[in-house]
Amino acid sequence: MRADPLTAVIEAGTPLVVLSPHLDDAVLSCGALMTHAMGRTQVRVVTFFTESGAPPYTFSGRQYLRQVGQPDAERLYRRRRAEDREVLGRLGAAWLHLGLVDGLFRRKSGAPGRSPGRVRRVLPEVAHVYPTYRLHISTGRVSRHDARTLGRMLALLQELAAPPRPVLLAPCGVGGHVDHVLVRTAAELSGEPVVYYSDFPYNQRHRLDPGFVDRASLIEVEWSRELAAKSALVRGYGSQARALFPGGRIPMVPETYLLADGERANGRPNGGAPWLS
């Protein structure tokens, strides 16, 4: 009997590059798969949005900082980067922080930073690409002001996909966070072999975008091995774990991956993937 597609890719020694929007998403969504892959193939986690902006923060930004108990965003993100290095180092995975600014703090091109005008000082939302979380960041709609961000991401993906050619693991964007959707979009446009992962824990409250699944001709594969090891890794992100899991319990649910179905792809960029051909 043929091994499942993900096991086949790992056993073949194909390098894996996990595209993580933020400094915890790779482990949250793929920690069990990565644990299994260690020692069998090369695993690298590439995190895109690893920096905060300078104050003044938007109301949504301040709310987030209060939620995680840290009033200084720059200090928080230093801690988050350190957590990510420690967790991935313990796992044995390589890591790369690309230094793009998180959507909560991202300003429009040309908008001032530490020396804003009076209006921006009183109402910092006017200078930000996504002024609010609920009405902007979590809608899944990428702002026209993020065209330059997407261009930078595509250029970075071209470098990451250099030989030996890896399989990219990218988020599905479950929950609609624009940073997750940006990473998914860059992966779609890259033309590289992509396995999409369902964004945990957001997939416990939200559904996959059926339009995306149909457009990319994807089928679901569940991964249930090494889930206990994953929980320990997630707890290493202490700055986020308490806010994500207020009761302290991390649901031990299978990871969900979506792969191109070669029989239905009909020549689309990610169609005819070797694991399903």
Side-chain angles (χ1 to χ4, degrees):
M1 184 172 65
R2 189 178 71 169
D4 73 83
L6 293 172
T7 297
V9 166
I10 292 169
E11 296 299 331
T14 306
L16 303 180
V17 175
V18 184
L19 305 179
S20 186
H22 303 115
L23 293 154
D24 59 3
D25 288 317
V27 166
L28 281 167
S29 298
C30 307
L33 178 73
M34 290 194 295
T35 298
H36 178 78
M38 297 312 304
R40 293 177 170 87
T41 189
Q42 297 175 359
V43 180
R44 189 183 195 191
V45 175
V46 177
T47 309
F48 285 85
F49 301 101
T50 61
E51 299 283 342
S52 69
Y57 310 128
T58 63
F59 177 74
S60 292
R62 297 194 300 273
Q63 276 191 316
Y64 164 68
L65 294 173
R66 282 195 296 270
Q67 185 182 25
V68 298
Q70 175 56 263
D72 185 321
E74 291 175 325
R75 184 181 303 170
L76 170 64
Y77 276 70
R78 283 197 298 272
R79 178 182 173 186
R80 293 191 66 182
R81 291 190 295 271
E83 288 173 343
D84 194 49
R85 291 192 297 267
E86 196 279 330
V87 170
L88 296 178
R90 178 156 36 102
L91 180 62
W95 57 269
L96 178 63
H97 296 163
L98 294 179
L100 299 179
V101 175
D102 189 299
L104 264 176
F105 305 100
R106 199 150 61 242
R107 286 185 169 86
K108 297 172 185 175
S109 180
R114 291 188 177 277
S115 301
R118 182 178 178 184
V119 172
R120 291 188 172 103
R121 189 162 53 243
V122 175
L123 190 66
E125 281 76 5
V126 300
H128 283 73
V129 176
Y130 302 100
T132 71
Y133 186 87
R134 187 172 65 87
L135 298 178
H136 299 91
I137 288 178
S138 65
T139 63
R141 294 192 296 271
V142 175
S143 168
R144 62 184 176 84
H145 297 289
D146 251 344
R148 183 177 179 184
T149 301
L150 181 59
R152 291 179 64 188
M153 295 169 71
L154 280 168
L156 291 165
L157 281 187
Q158 289 180 343
E159 296 179 24
L160 294 170
R165 197 180 190 193
V167 168
L168 305 179
L169 282 83
C172 290
V174 177
H177 192 297
V178 291
D179 287 349
H180 289 234
V181 174
L182 277 164
V183 176
R184 185 189 80 189
T185 302
E188 280 189 276
L189 295 174
S190 72
E192 298 296 327
V194 179
V195 173
Y196 295 94
Y197 58 82
S198 181
D199 315 56
F200 177 81
Y202 315 104
N203 57 10
Q204 302 303 291
R205 304 185 299 274
H206 303 278
R207 300 181 63 184
L208 283 164
D209 174 2
F212 163 65
V213 173
D214 183 66
R215 179 175 72 248
S217 298
L218 301 174
I219 62 170
E220 290 189 22
V221 175
E222 280 197 348
W223 185 272
S224 299
R225 283 171 277 183
E226 307 290 356
L227 290 175
K230 170 182 173 174
S231 294
L233 294 172
V234 170
R235 294 187 193 281
Y237 294 94
S239 66
Q240 308 301 302
R242 285 186 292 275
L244 288 171
F245 309 103
R249 178 182 171 273
I250 300 171
M252 197 173 292
V253 297
E255 295 173 350
T256 301
Y257 296 90
L258 293 98
L259 301 86
D261 181 351
E263 294 182 1
R264 294 196 299 120
N266 296 323
R268 296 175 193 177
N270 291 323
W275 48 81
L276 289 177
S277 60

